[in-house]
Amino acid sequence: MLGTLGLFGGLFTAWWALLWWVLPVSWQTISPSALLMLHLLPPIGIGAAWHSWRWWQARKEQAATAAAAESAEAERAAQRAAARDKHYQQLAARQQTLPCRGVWAHVLATRDEPSWLHELPDGCFWQTQLPDEIDDDLSWPDALAHQLVSLLSEVYALAPGAAWLPHLYEAHPEIEGREQLEIYRRAQQSTAEGQLFDEPHEADCRFLPGSGAIAERVQQVLQQNPHWPGVLICAVDSPYIAQQALDEWDEPSEAQIELARWEGAPGQASIALLFLRDMLPEPQTTDSGAPQSAVDPYTPYWEKQATYGDERWGRVPTSWQSSLYELPVVGLLCPAQEGELSEKSVMQASRQVQHLLAEALLDAALRDYPFSSEDAEPAKDCAEQIAWLVHNSGDADVGGTRLAALSTALHYFGISLNPIDEASNSVRDWGNVGCCRGLLHSALVLTHSARLQAPAVLGHFATERITISVGKPTEVNA
């Protein structure tokens, strides 16, 4: 208000001074009304023009400010949307699961057979052996080969196409690498020849690279070998045979006794897990429904070599592709979380296990992890669905801290399973299975999740370390 008065006061004063003292105006020739207009209209017009210009400038600045604010808000919204998309992309990447098409396990029962062996689901094949059924006269390498032949015979009988898949073996630390592969190759080749396949077969056996959880290692192998349609993961070991080879008069040392308390009595196991890629093409068939290469049984083998169909099936002949394609998914292995474990304090160990379990539940899509509170979906917090625990905490007199840490972490997330009655302690049930321990745990998780149609959690203990992962049935992932 004062500014406007000052503006008009200044304009009138300056104009009148200019009009009276500077401009040559003849006042006698101007009418009173024109004289009045001459004194009033120019200052008023200049003031009005000034105010109009100021108003226009203010509106322009206001529009620029609003445009800048809208642009900044749009940029923030775009950044937020990009961050949200990145968050859920990373979440989807870490929640990728590995479907398993078959579980085969031959194990030595060091105690009474678990009751769940009478409730095996489709796609899971377990056989238990007794010590009296094992030939003690076999050397250790011959015993491994014998185990592998028995295992692969069962695999090839159910899924003949698996004979043409790459076989990846867990490395045995006490046998030289080339010697191991030669043992496995001969056993694999003799098993395939015993099946009397018409198609030529050449054993493809290698070591499973890396260490740690099976799911990540298999996924990495499939990523590095895109021409493979799948893999058969195998592990064979027999600490029982190795123990029998020792002098029966030798007393076990204190270290051996302590190891048995943590790892279990010497056992024996041969495990195989079958994994195929997603979205494999359907095998080509004739109008009669039979595979193309099975139409003419008199086709010479050198002509059958060209009947492999889609290249995504790799070396698997067309006649046996359906034996793999029709295998149902037994269960899903989720990514694992590994970390340190301090066993000096139950509370500290519980916190460490709790952190790893939280990440493992997130990897298994059993825990909600929204980008913001607006995206929260409480229905995704379903960790309480877990119905079984697989672990190797050790014998009852040494594994208390480990089992207590697991139980506390499970209880924290509302998982109310009984860690004794609703759990498999591989140390007590199957003893020391050597290099088969990791594959045995994966086989147990897959079997129990398929049997119960509910997720199962795995706690794999090592020296001052623990790996936690989850296995799920296919319905949970749907």
Side-chain angles (χ1 to χ4, degrees), residues 399-412:
T401 300
R402 292 177 170 182
L403 192 57
L406 271 175
S407 302
T408 303
L410 292 171
H411 179 73
Y412 178 83

Side-chain angles (χ1 to χ4, degrees), residues 10-11 13 55 83 116 120 124 170 192 238 243 251 258 269 300 315 320 366 368 385 391 407 421 430 432 448:
L11 286 174
T13 302
W55 176 81
W116 54 262
L120 290 177
C124 296
E170 285 280 21
S238 181
Q243 180 71 23
E251 291 291 334
E258 183 65 18
R315 300 189 311 124
W320 300 119
L366 298 178
D368 191 24
Q385 295 181 2
H391 65 94
S407 302
D421 298 332
W430 311 113
N432 181 8
H448 288 296

Side-chain angles (χ1 to χ4, degrees), residues 114-122 124 126 388 447-448 450-452:
S115 58
W116 54 262
L117 286 175
H118 303 288
E119 306 170 0
L120 290 177
D122 294 338
C124 296
W126 288 72
W388 200 264
T447 299
H448 288 296
R451 177 178 68 89
L452 301 171

Side-chain angles (χ1 to χ4, degrees), residues 155-174:
V155 175
Y156 296 168
L158 181 67
W164 282 268
L165 293 178
H167 291 39
L168 305 184
Y169 294 88
E170 285 280 21
H172 198 291
E174 299 183 16

Side-chain angles (χ1 to χ4, degrees), residues 53 82-83 95 113 129 167 243 270 378 435 463:
W53 183 79
Q95 289 180 346
E113 289 187 0
Q129 298 173 293
H167 291 39
Q243 180 71 23
S270 51
C435 66
T463 305

Side-chain angles (χ1 to χ4, degrees), residues 61-76:
E61 292 177 1
Q62 184 179 2
T65 302
E70 291 178 2
S71 177
E73 181 62 27
E75 185 177 356
R76 285 194 296 270

